[in-house]
Amino acid sequence: MAAVDPARPVEISPTGVAPMATAVIDLLTALDDGPTPVADLAAKVSSAIHLCRYEPGMALVTASVAADLDAPKELTRLALAQLVGEGLLTRAGSRTTVALSGSRPFPRPEHLAARLREQIAQGIYPSGVNLPGLNELARRLNTVQPRIAEAQRLLEADGLLLRQRRRGPAVLEPARLLTSPDRLPLPDPPARRIPLHAVQMSAGAASNRWHRRAYLPPAEVHMHWQSLRDIGAQLLDTPFPNCATSGARARANARATRAMEALCAPLPDGILPGLWHTACLSTALRDLLPPSGSNRGR
């Protein structure tokens, strides 16, 4: 093949110029008269936000959104950048999230109050006992102390709690009248035992997914939750070591009761509620795990 001289102008026949010019004109007309592919994809993301598929406070990862909407990654990146400019999304560093737009981040105090009400109705916190401190409740419910305090005030207004100085709120007698929520049956232990290291990894991954708050397809959220339910059934089926004191035995029984209640609580609708619910289940199951060096559950 003969070498091409870069200094020599390329010759295009008159018959080839017309089709090229027509194609360019058609492209410019389409871009001018209709939405661009980026604008069209941005409209799809915006629609998903308004339909709460992508919920306020949720992190949107380019690859996940591209897969969800069956769009090219580069086009998705440009569409997300456009929505950041429009204020529908916010960006901090490399993290892009759905703007809260006046709503409070999940879980809101009313969600926490509803979950505590369920646990009171299930006897996790029976009437006459004191709730744990704010720090411990925030750990168990994967949230922050101020929201727990607001949730407790909602339950106080309902006549279920009585605030006390230097102690957690007391559960009042009317709590006995609460209707027990719908529960799922306790799952059967898996046919093949799950190794302890896999249990620990799954529980840690559930917490990490909640802290990232990144979009996941609903089926994947359900799959992770169901996997933890299998793990929980195995942990509850594993004999606990003998407790040296009655107090230690009571604490072990309380941990098992909390885990059982979390296992039987249905998965709520929505991706963020599902991630949060699964993280709370993970916390309850981690409390069942043996200390380092123990052979239980191996």
Side-chain angles (χ1 to χ4, degrees), residues 56-70:
M58 177 182 287
L60 297 185
V61 179
T62 299
S64 299
V65 175
D68 184 46
L69 299 180
D70 194 23

Side-chain angles (χ1 to χ4, degrees), residues 129-254:
V129 306
N130 297 94
L131 292 185
L134 291 177
N135 186 54
E136 176 61 13
L137 277 180
R139 183 190 73 84
R140 293 180 187 180
L141 293 176
N142 285 266
T143 187
V144 292
Q145 293 185 37
R147 290 189 212 166
I148 292 290
E150 289 188 60
Q152 289 181 351
R153 285 194 286 272
L154 292 176
L155 295 178
E156 288 171 15
D158 290 342
L160 298 176
L161 297 180
L162 175 65
R163 190 180 306 185
Q164 301 178 104
R165 293 186 62 185
R166 300 182 181 179
R167 300 180 67 181
V171 181
L172 298 178
E173 188 67 22
R176 294 180 183 272
L177 304 178
L178 287 176
T179 302
S180 181
D182 292 337
R183 301 280 93 179
L184 299 173
L186 193 66
D188 294 326
R192 297 183 61 181
R193 292 193 68 79
I194 304 167
L196 180 59
H197 69 86
V199 170
Q200 293 168 328
M201 287 180 61
S202 295
S207 296
N208 290 336
R209 280 189 290 271
W210 166 240
H211 291 305
R212 288 200 306 270
R213 290 165 172 74
Y215 170 79
L216 285 179
E220 194 170 336
V221 174
H222 188 277
M223 178 191 69
H224 291 309
W225 169 70
Q226 188 59 57
S227 175
L228 275 188
R229 293 191 82 225
D230 293 339
I231 287 172
Q234 173 178 301
L235 291 175
L236 289 174
D237 191 54
T238 304
F240 284 84
N242 292 328
C243 298
T245 65
S246 59
R249 190 180 308 112
R251 288 190 292 273
N253 288 337

Side-chain angles (χ1 to χ4, degrees), residues 55 57-60 84 88-92 95-99 212:
E55 301 161 41
M58 177 182 287
L60 297 185
V84 169
L88 200 58
L89 303 179
T90 61
R91 179 168 291 165
R95 183 180 173 87
T96 301
T97 58
V98 180
R212 288 200 306 270

Side-chain angles (χ1 to χ4, degrees), residues 249-264:
R249 190 180 308 112
R251 288 190 292 273
N253 288 337
R255 289 193 293 270
T257 302
R258 288 199 305 271
M260 192 176 302
E261 189 277 334
L263 279 173
C264 296

Side-chain angles (χ1 to χ4, degrees), residues 82-130:
Q82 176 176 318
L83 293 176
V84 169
E86 295 174 4
L88 200 58
L89 303 179
T90 61
R91 179 168 291 165
S94 61
R95 183 180 173 87
T96 301
T97 58
V98 180
L100 294 175
S101 302
S103 62
R104 302 182 67 180
F106 188 91
R108 294 186 285 277
E110 55 267 29
H111 297 118
L112 298 167
R115 189 71 185 100
L116 286 171
R117 191 180 287 107
E118 288 179 0
Q119 293 177 330
I120 291 171
Q122 286 292 304
I124 301 299
Y125 308 118
S127 59
V129 306
N130 297 94

